[in-house]
Amino acid sequence: MAWRIFTLCVCQLLAAALAWYLAPFGQLWTDLLVGALLGGYTWFLLDAVRGTRLLRWLRDGGADDIRLGNGLWGEVYDRIRRTVRAKDRLAQESNGRLSDFLAALQASPNGVVLMDVQGRIEWFNETACTHFGFDAKRDMLQHFGNLVRDPSFAAYYAARNFHEDVIMPGRHSTTTKPVQLSVHIHPYGEGRSLLLSQDITAVEQAEAMRRDFVANVSHEIRTPLTVLAGFVETLQTLPLNEQERTRYLGLMSQQASRMQTLVSDLLTLSKLEGSPLPSAQDWVPVAGLMEQCAQEAHELSSILNQQQHDLQFTGLAGVDIAGSAAELYSAISNLTGNAIRYTPAEKRIEVRWTLRDDGAVVLSVKDHGQGIAPEHLPRLTERFYRVDRSRSRDTGGTGLGLAIVKHVAQRHGAELSIESVPGQGSTFSITFPASRVRHAPMALAA
Ligand code: ADP
């Protein structure tokens, strides 16, 4: 303030001095007074110009710097500029944080929708777009309840009981490719809400598979157990002669071994699922596997039939496969076992190892049996899936053999393929990649 009074006085004095020097009225006191008045007006004019510049700068948003010098306007300008700059910095920081926050929500594997007090969509991420089929331009500020019309969600939304989630089909769910969403609304702030959606299709499918598996295992075990219990009761209550007793005991032993095979296959599967992958450093000679397998195949063929099958085994001498001998053996024996069980006696079954040009090795088991209709092929490796239930049971099948084979193949980086023509026969092949194959100096067909 002192500076302003000082500059005003200096201005008036200078103007008065100028007036005295020029003496426009010729009278000393009149010249001095008019000079001082004009000096005062000039000062006020200059002051108003500086004030106006400051006001214009403020109106323009204070983007460019201006020069207002010292004094009141200069200080006001300086203080306002510092405050504005500090606010700008704060706003920029907040914007940055908001962008980071939204980017994090965008990256979320779950769908995120922010809604205002009226339930209108304020923001959503890409995942929510996929889950609910939203369009970023079209659906912003629309009522969520108007866009998502699923009855279970509508009931959940209307009840306003947001302690639990609701399960509903996703936007692109079809009967062949179902998509299940878990949707949960979390109220926050003053009436706003955050909606989270999660794709639980895989979880639901895994749960359904687990339920099916438990039901299947129970059923598979209960059947022989019921038969066994019936025989035990018969033996306890009926006066049977020696011959009948022997027959019943034989049938009981059959049921018991059926249960044993089932339990052993279940254990094999659970070991395959739970144990670490077989080492790529342990080498299993193909010839050894074939020898063991051929012996077992001849035994099985003679147990099941009066007349044996025409069994042909073609191995690869000097070739080793990296992996677990027990698992590989289990896969081959399941495939040859199936070929024997589903092929009439005397027909030819060929078990062959071949070396491909690209270094891969293929094990193929070809039979000339009943074959499999094409619609069954994709489901054959599912647990307990059988084309011919009674034939599978009659020949001691558990419905788990091909599931075991598929697991073993996957664990060895190999691929299982199935070709079949109904009435002509089937070929099951496992292709081991070259990286799993080792050659001795000379590889010759055995
Ligand atoms: P299973 O113990 O019943 O043989 P698998 O998992 O080994 O169970 O096989 C599943 C089903 O695939 C069998 O029930 C059978 O219907 C069919 N199958 C498997 N191998 C053959 C084959 N070589 N020829 C015809 N059908 C086969």
Side-chain angles (χ1 to χ4, degrees):
M1 199 61 190
W3 174 255
R4 281 169 75 73
I5 295 169
F6 172 72
T7 51
L8 174 64
C9 291
V10 167
C11 219
Q12 283 181 314
L13 276 174
L14 281 175
L18 190 67
W20 169 73
Y21 177 71
L22 295 175
F25 299 106
Q27 287 179 339
L28 179 66
W29 288 108
T30 311
D31 289 341
L32 287 178
L33 196 66
V34 171
L37 271 174
L38 280 174
Y41 283 138
T42 312
W43 185 90
F44 277 115
L45 194 71
L46 288 172
D47 196 60
V49 167
R50 294 173 75 204
T52 311
R53 282 184 66 200
L54 178 63
L55 197 65
R56 197 180 311 133
W57 176 77
L58 277 173
R59 280 199 196 120
D60 291 348
D64 300 324
D65 284 353
I66 52 170
R67 294 182 130 262
L68 285 179
N70 296 331
L72 181 82
W73 293 123
E75 195 175 332
V76 169
Y77 164 70
D78 243 19
R79 283 176 189 271
I80 292 178
R81 197 181 57 141
R82 258 183 269 150
T83 314
V84 168
R85 295 280 181 271
K87 288 245 163 70
D88 275 356
R89 251 198 317 277
L90 262 179
Q92 266 172 15
E93 277 169 23
S94 306
N95 277 344
R97 274 201 295 273
L98 183 67
S99 310
D100 288 350
F101 178 69
L102 290 179
L105 289 183
Q106 193 64 268
S108 161
N110 294 337
V112 181
V113 183
L114 301 178
M115 290 186 278
D116 68 7
V117 186
Q118 275 107 39
R120 286 179 310 192
I121 301 170
E122 287 185 318
W123 186 88
F124 52 80
N125 66 357
E126 279 289 324
T127 318
C129 267
T130 319
H131 286 175
F132 302 107
F134 288 158
D135 180 296
K137 280 192 193 139
R138 188 194 57 204
D139 297 331
M140 210 51 95
L141 290 177
Q142 296 291 319
H143 280 271
F144 190 89
N146 290 347
L147 298 177
V148 179
R149 298 239 174 217
D150 177 71
S152 43
F153 176 78
Y156 170 77
Y157 197 55
R160 305 241 139 227
N161 178 11
F162 301 140
H163 296 296
E164 287 177 2
D165 56 354
V166 60
I167 310 289
M168 58 173 275
R171 177 77 176 81
H172 303 294
S173 184
T174 57
T175 37
T176 48
K177 208 167 167 245
V179 177
Q180 287 288 302
L181 297 179
S182 156
V183 178
H184 200 155
I185 292 181
H186 302 269
Y188 74 98
E190 287 174 10
R192 293 171 171 276
S193 31
L194 165 77
L195 180 143
L196 296 178
S197 60
Q198 190 186 5
D199 188 337
I200 53 163
T201 316
V203 180
E204 289 275 297
Q205 276 170 353
E207 181 55 22
M209 271 171 72
R210 193 193 62 77
R211 277 195 303 267
D212 285 356
F213 182 68
V214 171
N216 274 324
V217 170
S218 315
H219 176 76
E220 294 289 332
I221 290 185
R222 200 177 50 206
T223 313
L225 262 182
T226 313
V227 179
L228 260 179
F231 284 139
V232 169
E233 202 183 320
T234 311
L235 284 173
Q236 280 172 336
T237 50
L238 292 180
L240 302 172
N241 61 32
E242 199 51 37
Q243 198 187 357
E244 284 168 329
R245 281 176 73 84
T246 316
R247 196 170 76 85
Y248 280 123
L249 285 171
L251 290 170
M252 285 168 75
S253 145
Q254 244 178 36
Q255 295 302 323
S257 66
R258 191 175 143 191
M259 279 202 292
Q260 258 175 347
T261 322
L262 176 68
V263 171
S264 131
D265 274 2
L266 283 171
L267 282 175
T268 308
L269 257 183
S270 110
K271 261 195 235 154
L272 288 174
E273 280 175 348
S275 56
L277 288 178
S279 159
Q281 311 304 325
D282 295 342
W283 293 97
V284 186
V286 163
L289 282 173
M290 280 299 262
E291 212 174 289
Q292 210 181 345
C293 194
Q295 198 182 335
E296 194 200 70
H298 282 291
E299 278 168 24
L300 181 66
S301 174
S302 57
I303 291 170
L304 290 178
N305 306 290
Q306 299 284 326
Q307 299 291 321
Q308 280 221 14
H309 292 94
D310 174 10
L311 292 166
Q312 296 184 2
F313 291 87
T314 313
L316 274 175
V319 173
D320 300 341
I321 300 284
S324 150
E327 289 183 20
L328 290 171
Y329 174 71
S330 155
I332 304 166
S333 94
N334 265 304
L335 289 182
T336 41
N338 278 354
I340 292 168
R341 287 165 44 230
Y342 298 107
T343 304
E346 292 183 35
K347 294 246 178 177
R348 196 167 67 248
I349 293 170
E350 296 155 53
V351 182
R352 181 189 299 270
W353 286 85
T354 38
L355 184 61
R356 275 197 342 208
D357 290 345
D358 61 0
V361 160
V362 184
L363 161 76
S364 57
V365 179
K366 180 175 181 174
D367 64 55
H368 295 84
Q370 62 199 60
I372 305 159
E375 66 269 21
H376 296 292
L377 295 180
R379 299 197 58 191
L380 281 188
T381 53
E382 283 176 24
R383 294 159 189 198
F384 298 111
Y385 188 84
R386 293 163 167 122
V387 179
D388 185 344
R389 195 161 281 272
S390 62
R391 179 154 179 99
S392 161
R393 291 236 172 84
D394 293 348
T395 54
T398 58
L400 296 173
L402 289 180
I404 292 175
V405 175
K406 188 181 166 193
H407 260 81
V408 171
Q410 277 173 348
R411 285 165 62 82
H412 286 78
E415 208 180 311
L416 170 70
S417 57
I418 309 170
E419 285 165 30
S420 189
V421 180
Q424 290 186 26
S426 320
T427 306
F428 291 76
S429 311
I430 305 180
T431 308
F432 295 91
S435 57
R436 286 251 168 198
V437 179
R438 182 173 77 172
H439 301 270
M442 46 166 208
L444 39 104

